């Protein structure tokens, strides 16, 4: 599937001596796993090439997977190939110097509303970009090499972006490719300990979220994580943002949303939207965001806009419930 574009990407990789890999800012497991996994595959397969992973922000999330490359001089970008992973639009690219590169490749699994790049490989049915990188490796396994470390990064990205193989984007292909990665000898005990263990304070925050969350008439659960709450539980922005995941098992709440006040930015409220059955990416698009049908991100700039978004989500869920059966 999409063999031609994959061949063209491999050809480009072969043509360049220097490759710069980047991702979206505020990285999640898929952004981190896919960039580190691809870097690992390219380093194993083409040891003579310079392969950098360069971004302008960093994250504590998945810090057990190690860091990224040290900055390089701007001149080195001019004859480099840039590969951008897991980033739907150019505004979200973490490394703004990507424009200095000679050529640009987009590899992504978001709905392709903002195409970019000299080459673009987008498969929005994929569970994750990590799955795509694994498929890329599988397609050219005669020529490409992978090691346990790179396989672990990709597996971690698939596991996190698919809700532990739970979301409906998981296909037989996801499982086959995950199997191929597991065959590299991934230590899943260590990986899952790193993914599941929580600090004591974070569990207290989780309990607080359950206490404070609200639900609308038609079934939108939401929580507003203000700065006071973040200070009280000593939360990083990532920790605060994880609140969205706590609300994913409420019967009848087909959509759940976390609003997170961004410290240091008075009026900026990060929004993380999740849903089952009903699609919510268009609601995110109404509020400076976008993403997937059932997992999107947005930003609102006032309490009024926050209420507006909640109302839009409530109306969407209402309409869905009135016109569909079998939802839970
Ligand atoms: P998040 O809640 O930030 O994890 O975002 C969920 C999904 O939506 C991720 O796949 C993001 O890449 C995507 N997303 C988040 N924010 C935006 C945005 N402003 N524009 C487009 N896509 C976004």
């Amino acid at each position: 599937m999409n063999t031609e574009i994959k061949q063209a990407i491999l050809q480009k990789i072969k043509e360049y001596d220097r490759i710069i890999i980047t991702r979206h800012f505020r990285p999640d497991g898929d952004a981190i796993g896919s960039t580190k996994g691809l870097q690992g595959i390219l380093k194993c397969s083409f040891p003579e090439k310079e392969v950098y992973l360069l971004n302008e922000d960093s994250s504590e999330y998945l810090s057990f997977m190690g860091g990224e490359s040290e900055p390089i001089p701007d001149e080195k970008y001019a004859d480099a190939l840039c590969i951008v992973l897991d980033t739907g639009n150019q505004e979200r690219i973490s490394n703004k110097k990507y424009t200095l590169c000679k050529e640009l490749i987009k590899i992504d699994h978001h709905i392709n509303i903002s195409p970019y790049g000299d080459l673009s490989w987008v498969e929005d049915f994929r569970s994750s970009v990590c799955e795509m990188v694994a498929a890329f490796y599988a397609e050219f396994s005669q020529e490409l090499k992978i090691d346990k470390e790179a396989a672990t990064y990709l597996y971690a990205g698939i596991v996190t972006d698919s809700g532990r193989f739970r979301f409906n984007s998981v296909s037989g292909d996801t499982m086959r490719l995950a199997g191929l990665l597991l065959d590299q000898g991934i230590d899943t005990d260590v990986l899952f300990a790193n993914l599941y263990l929580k600090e004591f304070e974070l569990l207290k925050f989780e309990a607080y979220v359950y206490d404070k969350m609200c639900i609308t008439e038609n079934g939108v659960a939401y929580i507003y994580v203000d700065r006071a709450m973040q200070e009280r539980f000593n939360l990083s922005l990532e920790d605060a943002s994880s609140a969205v995941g706590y609300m994913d098992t409420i019967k009848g709440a087909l959509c759940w949303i976390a609003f997170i006040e961004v410290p240091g930015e008075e009026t900026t409220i990060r929004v993380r939207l999740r849903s089952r059955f009903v699609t919510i990416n268009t609601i995110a698009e109404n509020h400076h965001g976008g993403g997937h049908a059932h997992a999107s991100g947005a930003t609102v700039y006032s309490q009024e806009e926050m209420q507006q978004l909640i109302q839009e989500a409530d109306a969407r869920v209402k309409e869905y419930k009135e016109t569909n059966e079998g939802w839970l």
Side-chain angles (χ1 to χ4, degrees):
M1 190 195 313
N2 282 329
T3 299
E4 269 176 32
I5 185 69
K6 278 183 269 187
Q7 266 164 350
I9 290 173
L10 181 60
Q11 189 51 40
K12 280 287 168 223
I13 289 169
K14 287 180 181 168
E15 279 170 26
Y16 280 82
D17 295 329
R18 186 174 304 122
I19 296 159
I20 295 172
I21 300 171
T22 180
R23 50 160 171 77
H24 63 79
F25 69 92
R26 285 195 207 134
D28 56 3
D30 194 25
I32 297 169
S34 61
T35 48
K36 290 191 71 83
L38 179 63
Q39 183 189 32
I41 290 171
L42 297 186
K43 279 185 167 177
C44 290
S45 311
F46 307 104
E48 70 290 355
K49 291 187 193 293
E50 293 173 40
V51 186
Y52 298 103
L53 176 47
L54 291 165
N55 291 294
E56 288 173 14
D57 69 335
S58 60
S59 167
E60 278 301 299
Y61 180 54
L62 301 189
S63 55
F64 70 93
M65 303 216 305
E68 302 187 333
S69 309
E70 291 299 319
I72 58 170
D74 285 2
E75 309 83 78
K76 286 202 164 197
Y77 279 76
D79 54 359
L81 171 67
C82 181
I83 306 180
V84 185
L85 295 159
D86 196 33
T87 311
N89 55 55
Q90 281 162 285
E91 295 72 43
R92 301 192 77 233
I93 297 176
S94 169
N95 187 351
K96 300 296 176 215
K97 292 183 189 163
Y98 76 91
T99 51
L100 304 176
C101 288
K102 193 163 173 198
E103 284 187 285
L104 185 66
I105 295 178
K106 173 185 187 180
I107 302 179
D108 190 29
H109 75 134
H110 294 95
I111 298 162
N112 198 11
I113 45 177
S114 309
Y116 64 84
D118 301 289
L119 289 177
S120 168
W121 173 33
V122 178
E123 292 184 349
D124 64 15
F125 58 89
R126 291 282 187 186
S127 72
S128 54
V129 175
C130 283
E131 182 182 319
M132 294 175 70
V133 175
F136 184 75
Y137 164 72
E139 178 115 20
F140 305 114
S141 59
Q142 306 291 335
E143 291 183 74
L144 296 176
K145 294 192 179 75
I146 192 167
D147 61 8
K148 179 176 154 181
E149 213 180 330
T152 303
Y153 297 145
L154 295 176
Y155 192 78
I158 294 176
V159 161
T160 53
D161 233 37
S162 68
R164 316 293 189 258
F165 298 106
R166 209 158 49 90
F167 299 159
N168 62 7
S169 54
V170 172
S171 65
D173 230 22
T174 315
M175 294 307 204
R176 278 182 288 275
L177 291 164
L180 181 141
L181 297 171
L182 276 176
D183 287 344
Q184 300 299 316
I186 296 170
D187 188 335
T188 47
D189 280 347
V190 172
L191 175 64
F192 284 109
N194 273 300
L195 291 178
Y196 277 103
L197 295 184
K198 289 176 184 165
E199 297 295 339
F200 187 80
E201 274 303 302
L202 202 58
L203 276 173
K204 290 282 186 192
F205 169 60
E206 192 169 333
Y208 192 80
V209 169
Y210 290 130
D211 193 37
K212 296 286 171 200
M213 66 189 178
C214 303
I215 192 155
T216 64
E217 192 186 341
N218 295 296
V220 176
Y222 63 93
I223 180 80
Y224 180 51
V225 187
D226 62 12
R227 270 189 292 274
M229 216 187 282
Q230 296 178 38
E231 277 164 26
R232 173 170 167 185
F233 293 99
N234 194 19
L235 303 174
S236 66
L237 186 62
E238 273 322 304
D239 290 340
S241 302
S242 66
V244 72
Y246 306 156
M247 302 179 288
D248 65 352
T249 47
I250 306 167
K251 266 193 179 172
L254 304 193
C255 174
W256 51 103
I257 311 174
F259 297 93
I260 303 109
E261 266 189 7
V262 178
E265 293 176 40
E266 275 305 280
T267 53
T268 306
I269 302 169
R270 179 181 181 190
V271 188
R272 303 188 81 196
L273 300 99
R274 301 290 184 270
S275 66
R276 57 180 175 274
F277 304 112
V278 58
T279 59
I280 37 86
N281 58 298
T282 50
I283 297 171
E285 285 161 23
N286 290 342
H287 297 276
H288 324 276
H292 307 280
H294 300 290
S296 290
T299 308
V300 294
Y301 294 95
S302 65
Q303 297 287 324
E304 293 71 39
E305 192 180 358
M306 181 171 98
Q307 291 305 329
Q308 172 65 30
L309 192 152
I310 293 168
Q311 274 173 26
E312 287 169 33
D314 189 61
R316 177 67 51 84
V317 172
K318 181 173 192 277
E319 192 229 324
Y320 185 88
K321 286 184 172 178
E322 283 171 357
T323 51
N324 291 275
E325 288 176 355
W327 45 265
L328 290 158

